[in-house]
Amino acid sequence: MSFRILPVTTLVLGLSSLGFSQQSACKAVEVPVGVISVAGDVFRGLAAEDFVGRVQKRPVAVKTATYDDGPRRVLIVADLGKKLSADSRKAEAEMIQILVASARPEDTFAIMAARGPGQDVNFTADRNAITQALSQSGDGKRGKDPGVLDTVMSGMAWFGSPQPGDAVVVMAYDLEGNHKATPKTVAKALEMAHIRMFGLALGPVQTKNSVATSTVTSTTSQGLAQSKPLVGDAVYHTGDEYFFPLTANSGGLVLGVMNGSIQRTYKIDDLRLLQEVRQKARSVSKMISAYYRMQIEPPQLSHPEDWSLEINGELQKHTQPMFVLYPHELGPC
């Protein structure tokens, strides 16, 4: 469901105190920008003048903002590791069903299992092949129990030439235990391939660290400040430290689904929890299906810098919150 724009609360990483080499602007570059409500609905109708970009105190010129709801290619990476409870696995299967059912006919999916024997399925319009893949025996070609990030790296090769809106959805307890891949190599690969990464976390997520060494401030474990009903209400200082920055720095987002709080029992037969699981999978589907292809002209930089992107002051006067999802780092030009 889409809406005409109203007010805004933005999701931003803290800015680093870094210097700049020159005053002139770089050539225009394209970045993916999502604008969503607390419930994960996508706002449409925004124009370039509705956004304000800054790197430190310098402006980042927003030249164009084109709404894109074209066909999507979505790679699902599903954790089958021993840390997952039976209820977590049921939640994972439920979310895969929701992602596939929420897609448009022109969308295609691929799926790969991490830390377990599920079958790999390359991009296809066959929904049944995707939903049944994890119950099939794998061929072992990627080695024994490849890690989650190992699997993400393997799966990105399937995309080939980049297409607008390419996305990876990671369902995992954590991102640890990889054989070759590291958070930094995955972050670079996502950037080079223009792929957004989204997460549906089946374990706690730390929000006080970043692959880009910037600081996350005032965000929940789901990465959308302190808002409900889509997000939780706790800031985690423990848990997986890379899930949040890898998704946020690619223009995506991670939502906590299961096992995020030791004060709660997570049973999938709890109707309330089941509804939350389904809602968060639908929200990720919406974020993937529509976004803005934004052309920006940043000032010249000598090295990568964090920047902020907000909605302008006029739209902030309204009441319904909006969240801006975008890659948080600008590179040198």
Side-chain angles (χ1 to χ4, degrees):
M1 183 177 184
S2 298
F3 301 93
R4 172 61 189 162
I5 45 226
L6 290 172
V8 63
T9 303
T10 57
L11 169 70
V12 291
L13 295 180
L15 298 179
S16 305
S17 298
L18 300 170
F20 301 88
S21 59
Q22 299 184 39
Q23 298 292 327
S24 58
C26 301
K27 292 182 179 179
V29 295
E30 183 175 302
V31 294
V33 175
V35 185
I36 62 173
S37 71
V38 173
D41 293 308
V42 178
F43 291 84
R44 65 186 306 161
L46 288 161
E49 57 266 26
D50 296 320
F51 295 89
V52 178
R54 295 185 182 89
V55 55
Q56 291 287 16
K57 296 182 179 180
R58 290 184 168 184
V60 175
V62 178
K63 308 302 289 185
T64 63
T66 304
Y67 188 79
D68 188 314
D69 59 357
R72 298 289 180 255
R73 298 186 298 177
V74 182
L75 168 65
I76 300 171
V77 173
D79 184 1
L80 298 182
K82 296 178 180 179
K83 291 182 181 179
L84 292 186
S85 65
D87 286 283
S88 295
R89 290 184 182 236
K90 290 177 182 177
E92 196 170 44
E94 187 72 30
M95 292 188 293
I96 293 170
Q97 291 277 2
I98 293 295
L99 285 175
V100 169
S102 302
R104 292 82 51 90
E106 63 270 25
D107 297 332
T108 57
F109 287 86
I111 189 168
M112 302 179 84
R115 298 195 281 226
Q119 184 180 52
D120 293 347
V121 178
N122 208 329
F123 287 105
T124 178
D126 184 349
R127 300 330 196 208
N128 289 332
I130 300 299
T131 57
Q132 295 173 10
L134 298 188
S135 62
Q136 306 297 318
S137 298
D139 54 22
K141 289 182 179 179
R142 290 187 289 115
K144 183 179 180 181
D145 298 339
V148 174
L149 295 184
D150 293 325
T151 304
V152 170
M153 288 294 288
S154 296
M156 279 196 283
W158 284 357
F159 285 95
S161 298
Q163 294 181 16
D166 284 343
V168 175
V169 178
V170 177
M171 302 178 186
Y173 185 88
D174 59 34
L175 305 183
E176 299 175 355
N178 300 284
H179 302 295
K180 294 183 179 180
T182 68
K184 287 188 177 181
T185 59
V186 171
K188 186 63 175 178
L190 290 168
E191 178 186 2
M192 296 298 293
H194 305 288
I195 295 173
R196 293 180 296 161
M197 177 172 156
F198 295 85
L200 290 162
L202 300 170
V205 176
Q206 183 179 152
T207 61
K208 294 298 181 182
N209 189 20
S210 172
V211 172
T213 67
S214 54
T215 303
V216 179
T217 58
S218 301
T219 57
T220 67
S221 57
Q222 289 75 29
L224 287 181
Q226 304 261 356
S227 303
K228 295 181 179 180
L230 177 61
V231 300
D233 52 7
V235 176
Y236 287 106
H237 297 265
T238 60
D240 189 273
E241 62 181 316
Y242 296 114
F243 222 146
F244 178 82
L246 274 174
T247 54
N249 292 344
S250 73
L253 184 68
V254 59
L255 302 180
V257 178
M258 297 276 287
N259 310 309
S261 173
I262 60 174
Q263 299 176 344
R264 180 179 180 184
T265 301
Y266 294 86
K267 296 293 184 182
I268 200 65
D269 56 3
D270 177 348
L271 182 58
R272 177 188 167 196
L273 176 60
L274 180 60
Q275 290 174 337
E276 290 175 3
V277 168
R278 290 171 173 171
Q279 178 194 14
K280 288 174 181 178
R282 290 191 189 99
S283 295
V284 166
S285 178
K286 293 173 186 177
M287 296 178 210
I288 291 172
S289 67
Y291 74 111
Y292 289 87
R293 299 175 62 181
M294 180 176 289
Q295 292 282 335
I296 62 171
E297 284 186 357
Q300 287 199 8
L301 308 173
S302 60
H303 49 272
E305 302 267 10
D306 290 335
W307 69 301
S308 66
L309 183 66
E310 303 174 357
I311 304 297
N312 70 35
E314 287 301 313
L315 294 179
Q316 293 179 14
K317 297 177 182 178
H318 301 281
T319 56
Q320 188 176 357
M322 293 163 58
F323 300 92
V324 181
L325 311 178
Y326 63 98
H328 292 274
E329 187 177 86
L330 294 177
C333 59

